[in-house]
Amino acid sequence: MDLFGTAGIRGDVQSRVTPALARAVGRAAGADGDSFVVGRDGRTTGEGLVAAVEAGLLSSGADVTRVGQVPTPALAYAAQRSRGVMVTASHNPPTDNGLKLFADGEEYGDDAEARVERRVADDLDPVAWDEWGSSDRADVLGAYRDAVAEFARGHGEPLDGLSVAVDCGNGMASVATPQVLRDLGADVTAIHANVDGHFPGRESKPTPESLRDLRSYLAEGEADLGIGHDGDADRIVVVDASGEVVHEDTIVAVLAEHYTVESDAADPVVVTTPNASARIDERVRAGGGRVERVRLGALHEGIAAARAAGDADTEVVFAAEPWKHVHTDFGGWIDGVASAAVLARLVAGPGLAVLRDPVTERPYRKVSVECPDEAKADAMALVEQRLPGEVPDASVDTEYGVRLELPDGSWALVRPSGTEPYVRVYAESGDVSELVDTVTTVVRGAVTDA
C-alpha cells in the first residue's frame, strides 16, 4: 500500500497528509459504517484536518461524533461498537500529522486499509444531498479515565505513598495519565504537561535523550517511578528511581508474566513481535503460558490469530511490541495510559527492582546492513538457507524474517526494513558481539550474492 504504513497514515502536512487527503480518506472510510467518532491530538494542524475528515465522512453518508483533543487510546475506547478516526502523528515531529482508523476499538487491519486506499484512488463522489450524515459532540475523556482507573484497581496494590513523575511531552498524556494516577492515590509530578502542538518541552518521541528532564528529576531522588509518553499517549517509556530507562522488553516481560499468572485460563497466550526479547518467553513460560509472535504493527491481527487457532482453554492475556501494549481484558487497542496505571500498581507493592529481578537482561545490539529494495527478497532467501548452518544449536523460525533462538535464551532476528534500503539484524546474547558478527557476515554475503 502507498498510503498506510505500520501505524496508519503519517507524513508532512504540506506534501502528504493534506486536507485534501484527509477529506478523501474520510469519504472512503465512511463507506464502511454509519457512525464514526473523530478525535485529534494537540498538533496545530489537527483542527483543520479533523474538519476535512469530518467533511469526507459526512458526505459519504456517515454520522460523526466529535470528541476533541484526546489520547489515541481514549478515541479507541470511544470507538467501541462504532468506528473511529484519530488525527495524530504519534511521536513524529510537529510538521507531520496522520490518520488512524478504528473499528470497534481496534485499528484497521491490512484488508480494511487496502479497501480504503482503493476507494481513495477511485475518488468517490459524495452521496446524494439528502443522504449526508449529521454531526454532534461528546466528552469521552472523563469516562475513559474512569475506566482505566477501574481496570487498574484489579491489579497490584494501592498507590498511596508512591511518588510518580510523568513526562507528558506536551502531548495528550497531559489530560490523562497524571489524572488517572492521582485518582489511584499516587503523588504525581507532571512534567511538560500542557498540550502544545509545537512540543516546546522536548521532541514528541520519548527516548533516553529526550527524557533528560524526567531522568534528572528521578536521579535527584524525587520520585519512585518515572513515566514518559509520546504525543498521543499510546506509547510508554519507563524510568527507574535512579533515572535510568528500563529496557522496553523488560517491561513487557514484567507485564506479560503478571497477566499470565493472573489468568484462570489453562492456555494463557502472550502475543508479541519477532524483534522482542526471549526474556519475555522465559517469564511467560515461568508463569505457565506461551508466546506467539506476529509481524511488527499487527498486534491486533496476532491476537485474532491466536484466538482462532486456540480452543476453549485459550486466552490471549496480553499483547505488546516495544513500548506499545494491548491490555486485552480492557480493550483491543494500544494504551500507554493503561500501562502506566497497571505498572504503577505493580510497582507499589514490591518496587520496580524486585519486579525486574527475575528477568534476564542480556546485552542487545541492532545492526543495519545496506541492501537495495529490489535485492531484499533474494537476500532473505539466501539468509534463510545459510544462517541455520552457521548457528547449528539454534531453533529457527522463518515466519517473519529469520529468527534464531539458542538454548541459553540468546536470540537473533534478520528482517528486511519495510521503509529503508536495509536488512536489519537484531541480537541479544551474553556474547552479543560474537553472535552479531556471525549473523551479519551471513547477511552481507547474502546481499552481495543476491
Side-chain angles (χ1 to χ4, degrees):
M1 291 183 286
D2 294 325
L3 282 181
F4 289 89
T6 57
I9 301 170
R10 290 184 198 168
D12 183 87
V13 295
Q14 292 185 294
S15 61
R16 180 168 173 78
V17 187
T18 63
L21 176 66
R23 178 205 56 79
V25 170
R27 186 174 294 166
D32 286 335
D34 297 328
S35 61
F36 283 76
V37 180
V38 179
R40 64 185 177 96
D41 68 15
R43 292 166 191 270
T44 61
T45 55
E47 189 171 5
L49 291 174
V50 161
V53 168
E54 183 178 356
L57 288 167
L58 294 173
S59 63
S60 76
D63 294 331
V64 173
T65 299
R66 286 170 281 174
V67 298
Q69 288 186 336
V70 293
T72 292
L75 184 281
Y77 172 83
Q80 295 177 98
R81 297 171 295 281
S82 179
R83 292 179 183 267
V85 182
M86 181 68 185
V87 177
T88 179
S90 190
H91 59 271
N92 282 32
T95 52
D96 288 0
N97 216 321
L99 305 167
K100 285 185 181 181
L101 305 182
F102 292 85
D104 195 19
E106 297 184 6
E107 290 185 42
Y108 268 33
D110 284 352
D111 290 345
E113 289 178 341
R115 185 170 63 243
V116 169
E117 190 158 323
R118 287 194 298 270
R119 292 177 188 147
V120 170
D122 291 342
D123 193 19
L124 302 178
D125 291 327
V127 298
W129 66 270
D130 57 350
E131 296 177 2
W132 282 36
S134 61
S135 65
D136 62 7
R137 296 179 182 271
D139 181 2
V140 302
L141 189 57
Y144 165 72
R145 292 192 307 223
D146 289 346
V148 172
E150 184 60 28
F151 173 73
R153 288 188 182 99
H155 304 273
E157 299 184 20
L159 300 189
D160 300 341
L162 186 76
S163 58
V164 185
V166 183
D167 186 337
C168 303
N170 301 120
M172 296 315 305
S174 304
V175 299
T177 299
Q179 292 83 353
V180 168
L181 293 177
R182 288 181 182 127
D183 185 23
L184 292 171
D187 178 9
V188 179
T189 298
I191 301 170
H192 306 310
N194 60 313
V195 178
D196 188 328
H198 295 90
F199 302 112
R202 63 163 172 85
E203 64 179 79
S204 180
K205 186 175 183 178
T207 66
E209 294 74 29
S210 67
L211 293 172
R212 58 187 178 274
D213 292 341
L214 175 65
R215 296 178 63 198
S216 295
Y217 186 81
L218 281 134
E220 293 169 0
E222 299 295 336
D224 303 312
L225 176 68
I227 301 292
H229 287 294
D230 59 346
D232 65 336
D234 64 351
R235 181 177 298 216
I236 179 177
V237 172
V238 178
V239 180
D240 67 18
S242 70
E244 294 302 312
V245 173
V246 183
H247 194 283
E248 57 266 34
D249 287 342
T250 293
I251 296 301
V252 172
V254 167
L255 289 169
E257 181 177 13
H258 166 73
Y259 283 119
T260 300
V261 170
E262 289 295 303
S263 173
D264 293 329
D267 179 30
V269 178
V270 170
V271 174
T272 188
T273 49
N275 62 324
S277 170
R279 70 187 71 173
I280 299 165
D281 303 66
E282 292 171 352
R283 298 321 307 162
V284 171
R285 283 195 295 266
R290 60 185 175 91
V291 170
E292 294 288 345
R293 282 181 164 78
V294 68
R295 63 183 175 84
L296 279 165
L299 290 176
H300 54 295
E301 294 176 8
I303 293 168
R307 287 170 174 163
D311 55 30
D313 293 326
T314 301
E315 179 187 6
V316 179
V317 297
F318 185 56
E321 57 184 78
W323 300 129
K324 299 163 74 172
H325 310 148
V326 180
H327 304 265
T328 50
D329 275 353
F330 183 55
W333 56 86
I334 295 165
D335 198 323
V337 182
S339 294
V342 171
L343 186 66
R345 294 265 307 184
L346 298 181
V347 169
L352 183 56
V354 173
L355 292 179
R356 294 175 64 181
D357 186 61
V359 181
T360 303
E361 297 182 315
R362 303 174 183 87
Y364 171 87
R365 278 184 62 190
K366 175 182 173 182
V367 176
S368 298
V369 178
E370 291 187 7
C371 179
D373 288 339
E374 62 272 15
K376 287 177 180 176
D378 289 341
M380 287 302 301
L382 291 172
V383 169
E384 182 176 341
Q385 175 186 334
R386 298 172 180 176
L387 188 56
E390 296 298 320
V391 193
D393 294 337
S395 61
V396 182
D397 187 324
T398 59
E399 189 169 5
Y400 304 106
V402 180
R403 180 183 169 93
L404 308 178
E405 188 160 342
L406 286 86
D408 67 354
S410 299
W411 62 275
L413 170 70
V414 181
R415 59 179 292 272
S417 170
T419 57
E420 297 180 286
Y422 295 108
V423 172
R424 310 286 193 196
V425 176
Y426 309 80
E428 189 176 64
S429 173
D431 193 350
V432 72
S433 295
E434 180 179 348
L435 182 57
V436 166
D437 288 346
T438 298
V439 175
T440 54
T441 296
V442 173
V443 172
R444 290 192 177 102
V447 170
T448 298
D449 294 343

